[in-house]
Amino acid sequence: MSLVLWIAIHVCGIEGLLAYMDDTFAFDADCNLYPYEPYGSSFPSKQLALLRLWDYLNIPHSQHKQLYGDTLTIIGFHVDPVSMVISLPKESTDFLVSAIREFVNEASRCRRTLREWQKLLGWINWGLNSSYDKIAGRHIASAPIYLNKRSINDLLWIADMFECYEGVHLLTNTTWELHDADLCIFCDASLTGLGVGFIADLEDNIFWYEAITVLSALQWSTTLPLPLSCMFDSFSAVELLIASRIDLRVWHIPGEQNTIADALSRQLFSVIAQYAPFLRISSFTPPRVTSGLLR
């Protein structure tokens, strides 16, 4: 198929052609349809050129697989180029949710075989690192593997996300810069605290606290009046973004240009007074980890 794609692109001039295994797809700006006699039907120009190439190379194909339109289902995902969104179709979402709950609730003595784990995790292979940890180093397909509390929480969480929010949008096209943002929050973290327009005391890992700082800012932003408000009742930044439809961008700002947040994170109140003498400062409690979950 790779060789066929090379010929299609470089010899036949079919630009933007993509493939996954034996599924081939592309976009076509030409809105006209052109007749393809063997099927007694008409197709977009790029699709017609590819069909003729397959005929020349004696590659078999069938009419019911030759799809085109404003939206398409490609390798199991609903692709909407008008709104630039890729999502799981509802029927696929419902099927996945049902499979996850059955995997957890009907497991014999809270155990599933390695083969069953691999089948489910291949289906939802993103966002479940702890579950992949459960099968790491296992090689016997029929060997039972225990579902511990953390892996059950992971699996049920992702089922809840699909069920509550009508599927997860995997790609949204929102190209914008800092000056286009509806809300800008300047943050900083040090080994002794966070600064997000508020301050919090901390210790140790700077990389962890930088992430917690962004999550704290995100959580606070959902308390603002519409159109920036949303419901927040969970432990996950991913869930928060899905529920609120917030499109988040994180930029790095050098400390010398992020003076107030930097001073807040270090509790340098005298420095803050120099730059913003009337600034109102409040303390807050950042999200914490309990039983393996962020709250």
Side-chain angles (χ1 to χ4, degrees):
M1 181 56 71
S2 295
L3 177 58
V4 172
L5 286 179
W6 189 94
I7 296 171
I9 295 170
H10 297 284
V11 177
C12 299
I14 307 175
E15 298 180 351
L17 193 61
L18 300 171
Y20 181 82
M21 302 297 288
D22 59 349
D23 288 329
T24 308
F25 47 95
F27 68 92
D28 199 334
D30 184 356
C31 297
N32 297 313
L33 299 179
Y34 303 91
Y36 177 66
E37 291 77 9
Y39 286 155
S41 184
S42 298
F43 296 93
S45 58
K46 289 184 178 181
Q47 195 165 3
L48 176 64
L50 187 61
L51 287 171
R52 287 176 174 168
L53 172 62
W54 285 346
D55 290 340
Y56 180 78
L57 298 175
N58 292 321
I59 297 176
H61 52 83
S62 54
Q63 184 173 1
H64 75 277
K65 292 187 176 181
Q66 312 310 316
L67 306 176
Y68 64 89
D70 293 335
T71 64
L72 282 178
T73 298
I74 301 175
I75 58 172
F77 296 103
H78 181 73
V79 181
D80 185 346
V82 178
S83 59
M84 292 300 291
V85 171
I86 299 177
S87 59
L88 283 177
K90 187 180 186 306
E91 58 272 20
S92 299
T93 298
D94 294 342
F95 192 27
L96 176 56
V97 169
S98 176
I100 294 173
R101 297 197 185 283
E102 179 182 348
F103 183 89
V104 172
N105 297 329
E106 299 183 13
S108 176
R109 293 179 298 174
C110 289
R111 294 176 184 270
R112 286 288 188 179
T113 66
L114 175 60
R115 182 184 293 109
E116 290 172 318
W117 276 93
Q118 290 172 330
K119 181 179 179 180
L120 184 68
L121 295 181
W123 198 350
I124 47 174
N125 60 6
W126 54 274
L128 294 178
N129 292 328
S130 64
S131 293
Y132 271 113
D133 290 342
K134 287 290 294 180
I135 66 174
R138 309 295 181 98
H139 304 289
I140 302 175
S142 59
I145 300 174
Y146 183 69
L147 280 79
N148 61 19
K149 182 177 180 181
R150 183 178 179 186
S151 59
I152 290 174
N153 284 336
D154 280 344
L155 291 167
L156 293 180
W157 177 83
I158 198 169
D160 289 341
M161 289 300 94
F162 279 103
E163 195 169 52
C164 295
Y165 301 114
E166 300 179 351
V168 177
H169 288 181
L170 302 181
L171 172 68
T172 56
N173 176 46
T174 48
T175 302
W176 50 272
E177 298 298 332
L178 184 60
H179 63 269
D180 298 316
D182 296 309
L183 175 68
C184 295
I185 304 175
F186 291 86
C187 310
D188 197 16
S190 71
L191 292 176
T192 58
L194 308 179
V196 196
F198 308 87
I199 58 173
D201 294 324
L202 293 170
E203 300 175 0
D204 298 311
N205 196 321
I206 185 62
F207 300 106
W208 171 256
Y209 293 133
E210 286 177 345
I212 290 294
T213 304
V214 175
L215 179 58
S216 299
L218 182 58
Q219 180 176 346
W220 172 79
S221 72
T222 64
T223 67
L224 299 178
L226 290 173
L228 297 171
S229 64
C230 73
M231 296 297 293
F232 178 72
D233 57 3
S234 187
F235 57 84
S236 170
V238 175
E239 180 177 355
L240 178 56
L241 290 171
I242 294 172
S244 63
R245 305 298 184 189
I246 290 176
D247 192 2
L248 175 68
R249 295 289 186 273
V250 179
W251 282 275
H252 172 261
I253 301 176
E256 60 271 15
Q257 299 177 22
N258 197 21
T259 310
I260 302 299
D262 179 76
L264 280 171
S265 71
R266 303 173 191 278
Q267 300 186 31
L268 300 176
F269 302 114
S270 60
V271 174
I272 297 173
Q274 295 177 22
Y275 289 95
F278 301 106
L279 182 67
R280 179 181 176 182
I281 302 175
S282 303
S283 61
F284 75 101
T285 301
R288 56 192 175 87
V289 176
T290 59
S291 301
L293 302 179
L294 275 176
R295 297 193 185 280

